[in-house]
Amino acid sequence: MKKIHYLICGSLALAGAALLLAGCAATSNQANGARLWSQNCSRCHNNRSPASYSQAQWEVSMMHMRLRANLTGNEYRAILDFLQTASK
Amino acid sequence: MAWVNRMADQPLAVYDGLLPETLVGTQLRGGVPLGSMKFNYAAFAANAPSLNTDTNGGSALGTLAFDNFDNGNGNFVGGGHLGFLPIPELELGYGLIYGGVGSAEAPANAFLQSADLNFVKDSAALRGSLRLSAQWVWSAVDHVDYGAAGSFDNKRDGGYSQISYRPTKWGSPVLARFEPVFRFDILNQKNTPAAYDEWRYTLGLNYWFGAMTVAKIGYEFDQRDGDTAHNAVMVQFATGF
């Protein structure tokens, strides 16, 4: 599948550094997740409603989008938490 | 991918013009918060694109072929991208790719650079959401002796800027589905065997059926210095899953 950006991607893209930098886990809250979602997730495409996917589907999708959006570990967890709570 | 792109076709210079849209390799990327600001980064190593040295190819001579699923000449490129987000709506970025692209007979390195800007704002004051994006690319490939075709200064550049707006907050659900787009793009390569510079103005109108389904129409005004221009009407339907 074709990818969006210019300098991008291969078969083995690693989120390693993001994982390291996200070392200190913060307890994410819903409001934070919602804000981060609206700030980060409509940058490239329209936001899809949280209710359009199941919890498991959001987990898969967020694995992909965490890379695309260059999320930190905290941002990733807060957004995933928000999406899963509001999921179908 | 067409449901992500606001225009039916892709801008000149980026995306398989002077820069690859994809490379096969390995990449490390992530984000670093800095107070309310943020940096993001990506670094990668990948199979190198290959330099077109086929003198029968005419105008394509000296261009880079990016469909690099195998590692033909044993070359790799390295590169990365650094993005800075002073506010969450704005990203300023710089990227580069460097590495060998030639062959044993005609060794050469390529140095590709790009600067980009992205701004996305959804607000009541704007009564909708506004997107601005711009990118400029510089491509420089070492001098190579192309035999009968000789040699030339293999430098090209180009880029685009684009603005689109969705009137989502005017109180009309019908209006909210529309999205006008305007783009200006350029490719400068007159000093190469391609022998022309090109610039275009494209007007587009999108209709969103849902978050990931869109119909697009567009009209492209093409201008070329050194070649015949081709205006175009474009129609596209795209959906994502």
Side-chain angles (χ1 to χ4, degrees):
Chain A
M1 183 187 299
K2 291 274 185 171
K3 313 258 172 171
I4 192 167
H5 263 134
Y6 27 93
L7 299 174
I8 304 294
C9 233
S11 48
L12 293 172
L14 304 174
L19 287 167
L20 287 179
L21 289 157
C24 43
T27 43
S28 55
N29 63 58
Q30 286 298 309
N32 197 27
R35 180 179 54 80
L36 288 167
W37 174 68
S38 71
Q39 280 175 357
N40 286 286
C41 304
S42 55
R43 199 166 285 147
C44 305
H45 47 64
N46 300 312
N47 263 339
R48 170 170 271 204
S49 155
S52 57
Y53 280 167
S54 68
Q55 295 205 352
Q57 286 170 322
W58 275 124
E59 192 160 337
V60 176
S61 190
M62 279 298 291
M63 285 290 278
H64 303 153
M65 293 307 129
R66 169 186 196 161
L67 284 175
R68 291 245 182 245
N70 291 308
L71 299 180
T72 65
N74 285 339
E75 290 170 336
Y76 163 75
R77 280 184 293 275
I79 295 172
L80 181 60
D81 189 37
F82 159 74
L83 289 170
Q84 290 189 326
T85 308
S87 69
K88 70 176 175 195
Chain B
M1 210 50 141
W3 63 274
V4 176
N5 189 355
R6 258 49 196 181
M7 203 64 102
D9 67 344
Q10 300 199 326
L12 295 168
V14 297
Y15 306 132
D16 285 345
L18 302 181
L19 283 182
E21 182 168 355
T22 61
L23 289 175
V24 177
T26 174
Q27 178 177 239
L28 188 79
R29 61 189 289 175
V32 190
L34 197 89
S36 64
M37 304 187 289
K38 189 176 162 181
F39 281 97
N40 61 47
Y41 60 88
F44 65 87
N47 284 344
S50 54
L51 183 65
N52 188 331
T53 53
D54 179 6
T55 47
N56 298 322
S59 61
L61 189 67
T63 58
L64 298 172
F66 295 112
D67 45 354
N68 61 343
F69 292 107
D70 58 0
N71 180 303
N73 296 318
N75 287 321
F76 291 97
V77 290
H81 182 264
L82 203 62
F84 173 54
L85 293 87
I87 48 170
E89 294 85 5
L90 176 68
E91 176 177 357
L92 302 166
Y94 170 75
L96 62 84
I97 304 181
Y98 182 76
V101 294
S103 59
E105 310 83 62
N109 287 322
F111 184 39
L112 312 178
Q113 298 178 84
S114 121
D116 57 274
L117 176 155
N118 281 289
F119 177 81
V120 179
K121 175 95 184 163
D122 184 271
S123 80
L126 291 168
R127 301 182 79 172
S129 62
L130 180 73
R131 297 173 168 267
L132 295 171
S133 46
Q135 187 173 1
W136 194 262
V137 184
W138 297 266
S139 164
V141 179
D142 287 350
H143 271 276
V144 167
D145 183 1
Y146 296 97
S151 182
F152 58 92
D153 193 20
N154 197 350
K155 290 199 171 62
R156 303 163 206 252
D157 64 0
Y160 77 101
S161 59
Q162 180 174 299
I163 180 168
S164 62
Y165 175 69
R166 258 190 94 176
T168 48
K169 297 185 171 83
W170 290 77
S172 160
V174 178
L175 193 62
R177 290 178 178 273
F178 285 93
E179 181 179 45
V181 200
F182 175 74
R183 183 184 68 201
F184 174 56
D185 56 348
I186 306 181
L187 179 58
N188 295 320
Q189 50 178 1
K190 203 176 177 195
N191 56 323
T192 72
Y196 68 89
D197 289 343
E198 180 175 11
W199 60 102
R200 309 185 296 193
Y201 304 87
T202 312
L203 287 166
L205 185 65
N206 304 333
Y207 181 86
W208 291 91
F209 293 90
M212 297 164 111
T213 305
V214 60
K216 306 178 205 171
I217 52 169
Y219 192 82
E220 202 158 74
F221 299 88
D222 187 29
Q223 281 172 300
R224 297 185 194 198
D225 175 9
D227 192 20
T228 321
H230 301 283
N231 290 358
V233 177
M234 299 176 293
V235 180
Q236 186 182 51
F237 180 81
T239 188
F241 299 96

